Amino acid sequence: MTEQTQQPLTPPDCDLLGMRIGEVWNLHDGDIPAIFNNEFLSAAFLRIESLRQVPAASVPDDDIVLAKLAGFGRAIEEWKKVREVALRGWIKCSDGRFYHPGIADKAREAWEAHRQGRAARGVAV
């Protein structure tokens, strides 16, 4: 997790819910498999759940919500034990949310393709 403030990595209206986007990211990329344990599962859940958020590829900076998204439910203290590792690679942006750069790249591609498809069909974007 990088503690820096920069512009969000996906547009604020980037909503991938209901879209068939195929393989947005590969869970086996990077260093996540090296930590195959609670941290791995938490990181995987966060990545998956980030695609259901608006904007896509982001999660809120709220430990109660993050614990739930990461599969810890109400076990906030247990979440806090794995938080740093589970959020490895995420960047905190100026909207107060964490974004994963790799997921954001794929989310932007899917969002732009969706918007272009709608425009080509004459549907307002």
Side-chain angles (χ1 to χ4, degrees):
M1 165 184 58
T2 301
E3 290 289 338
Q4 65 184 36
T5 304
Q6 68 177 46
Q7 291 299 314
L9 303 183
T10 56
D13 61 343
C14 186
D15 183 351
L16 303 182
L17 286 175
M19 291 176 52
R20 292 183 178 203
I21 54 177
E23 185 177 345
V24 173
W25 51 270
N26 184 345
L27 188 58
H28 299 290
D29 286 349
D31 60 358
I32 290 179
I35 53 172
F36 197 89
N37 49 28
N38 280 347
E39 291 89 345
F40 169 81
L41 295 175
S42 299
F45 288 150
L46 287 178
R47 289 179 178 204
I48 292 165
E49 290 298 325
S50 77
L51 294 172
R52 299 169 47 89
Q53 299 286 308
V54 178
S58 73
V59 292
D61 182 11
D62 179 314
D63 281 323
I64 294 171
V65 176
L66 287 170
K68 182 179 179 199
L69 295 176
F72 283 87
R74 295 180 186 206
I76 307 302
E77 293 308 313
E78 292 301 311
W79 156 249
K80 288 181 178 179
K81 292 177 185 176
V82 302
R83 184 182 198 275
E84 184 176 338
V85 175
L87 287 172
R88 180 182 298 163
W90 293 77
I91 298 170
K92 186 165 182 187
C93 290
S94 60
D95 62 355
R97 298 178 69 85
F98 290 109
Y99 288 78
H100 191 282
I103 297 172
D105 288 344
K106 297 297 185 182
R108 281 191 313 274
E109 289 174 16
W111 182 241
E112 187 55 35
H114 172 72
R115 292 175 52 86
Q116 288 176 1
R118 290 179 58 92
R121 293 188 309 275
V123 179
V125 289

